[in-house]
Amino acid sequence: MQELNTQQSAENDIRKTCHKQLFTPFAKAINRYELLSPGDKVAVCISGGKDSFLMAKLFQELKRHRKFDFEVIFICMNPGYNEANRRLILENADRLGIPLSMFSSDIFDVVDVVDKNPCYLCARMRRGHLYAKAKEAGCNKIALGHHYDDVIETTLMGMLYGAQMQTMMPKIRSTNFDGMELIRPMYLVREDDIKKWAKRNGLNFLQCACHFTETYEALHPDEISDSARLETKKLIARLKKDNPYVESNIFNSAHNVNLSTVLAYKKDGVVHDFLEWY
């Protein structure tokens, strides 16, 4: 029997071996949160990591089903990767059969000289460049590869580190690019299942490769593990040992907010206090 190449193996995994773990929650999120509509043109944004590459393959599989008419393009912004990382992204796209269009920006150079919240600034700038490129290509949506674990970690981090109750939304309308929307179709896909897919197919994806991270790790090798997200991930893992439902409870809490028991909330930038209706 002829050995499958990487693309065939990765697609076979999605269609058979881990269909229930990957494609089913992907399709469920699209239906549950109404992320796609007939006539949409979506820019699938690939960062170079496992999550966005899997998302690209899932979109290709969804197109193959021909449930309704929509278009996808696959774009990758190069914010200043070194040559090895840039080449890794392009090689992975080629191995997986993804027709990737890469464009460049100077984001890493800009963020390198920022002392306060460089990662936050980097994320905002990346999103702005992706919106602009997608709109230029005639798209009305961009798709990012945030998954279920990102959602629950962000929800808990908001409470523990930000003193606020909020979650990562499955879709957001852009306030700076008229008619554009951000969607997160990996919203219900578990990170462990993404890792298993990558490992089974011998795929090595890019981690965060910005100048700031590389410099910080070199200067503070013991501190990088104490990041808020990693600590939150560890906390959830510890809680799960005693309560196997802790992850789904965190996720579902954002779907089950009782406003009668909330002291205050913000809507469209306006703060409302419970005393308004008490």
Side-chain angles (χ1 to χ4, degrees), residues 17-174:
T17 310
C18 49
H19 187 273
K20 290 183 178 179
Q21 292 77 26
L22 298 178
F23 187 79
T24 297
F26 174 80
K28 182 178 179 181
I30 288 174
N31 291 328
R32 167 67 176 81
Y33 302 111
E34 299 179 357
L35 302 184
L36 286 180
S37 299
D40 279 344
K41 185 174 182 180
V42 184
V44 179
C45 302
I46 296 178
S47 65
K50 65 186 188 315
D51 309 328
S52 58
F53 265 115
L54 173 59
M55 176 177 65
K57 295 307 298 179
L58 290 170
F59 264 109
Q60 288 182 325
E61 181 66 13
L62 186 64
K63 284 285 291 181
R64 193 177 73 89
H65 287 211
R66 301 177 184 271
K67 293 292 185 180
F68 57 87
D69 184 45
F70 71 97
E71 293 183 60
V72 290
I73 63 170
F74 304 96
I75 64 173
C76 175
M77 184 190 64
N78 177 2
Y81 293 133
N82 62 41
E83 179 56 26
N85 288 332
R86 188 191 72 85
R87 189 166 58 249
L88 176 62
I89 294 173
L90 294 176
E91 288 174 354
N92 278 332
D94 185 60
R95 291 178 69 196
L96 288 168
I98 298 169
L100 183 63
S101 174
M102 180 179 284
F103 66 99
S104 298
S105 75
D106 61 353
I107 289 179
F108 281 177
D109 290 337
V110 173
V111 174
D112 260 354
V113 297
V114 174
D115 294 326
K116 189 175 181 181
N117 295 331
C119 294
Y120 174 77
L121 177 62
C122 181
R124 286 187 62 86
M125 291 180 68
R126 282 173 182 249
R127 190 173 298 181
H129 279 280
L130 290 169
Y131 269 129
K133 192 67 175 179
K135 189 160 189 176
E136 178 185 305
C139 298
N140 64 312
K141 292 178 179 178
I142 65 171
L144 301 186
H146 297 112
H147 50 66
Y148 184 99
D149 297 74
D150 289 325
V151 177
I152 62 175
E153 289 161 15
T154 299
T155 303
L156 195 55
M157 283 171 62
M159 297 176 65
L160 299 179
Y161 296 96
Q164 56 189 351
M165 296 176 65
Q166 64 177 31
T167 193
M168 179 182 283
M169 298 295 287
K171 61 182 180 181
I172 306 170
R173 290 192 180 94
S174 172

Side-chain angles (χ1 to χ4, degrees), residues 6-7 10 50 53-54 57 88 91-92 95-96 194-195 197-205:
T6 301
Q7 178 182 345
K50 65 186 188 315
F53 265 115
L54 173 59
K57 295 307 298 179
L88 176 62
E91 288 174 354
N92 278 332
R95 291 178 69 196
L96 288 168
I194 301 172
K195 290 178 178 178
W197 171 79
K199 184 177 180 179
R200 273 196 303 270
N201 294 285
L203 294 164
N204 175 35
F205 292 115

Side-chain angles (χ1 to χ4, degrees), residues 139-240:
C139 298
N140 64 312
K141 292 178 179 178
I142 65 171
L144 301 186
H146 297 112
H147 50 66
Y148 184 99
D149 297 74
D150 289 325
V151 177
I152 62 175
E153 289 161 15
T154 299
T155 303
L156 195 55
M157 283 171 62
M159 297 176 65
L160 299 179
Y161 296 96
Q164 56 189 351
M165 296 176 65
Q166 64 177 31
T167 193
M168 179 182 283
M169 298 295 287
K171 61 182 180 181
I172 306 170
R173 290 192 180 94
S174 172
T175 55
N176 298 317
F177 294 85
D178 188 45
M180 294 292 294
E181 190 174 24
L182 180 156
I183 62 173
R184 295 184 170 107
M186 301 278 282
Y187 205 77
L188 301 178
V189 180
R190 298 305 308 263
E191 184 176 25
D192 280 348
D193 292 321
I194 301 172
K195 290 178 178 178
K196 290 174 184 176
W197 171 79
K199 184 177 180 179
R200 273 196 303 270
N201 294 285
L203 294 164
N204 175 35
F205 292 115
L206 183 68
Q207 305 298 320
C208 179
C210 69
H211 300 165
F212 172 78
T213 300
E214 291 171 348
T215 302
Y216 192 88
E217 287 178 339
L219 295 176
H220 308 277
D222 297 325
E223 292 183 27
I224 199 73
S225 62
D226 293 328
S227 68
R229 184 166 293 276
L230 185 54
E231 285 303 305
T232 304
K233 188 184 289 286
K234 290 178 179 177
L235 174 60
I236 293 172
R238 288 198 298 269
L239 293 172
K240 188 179 177 181

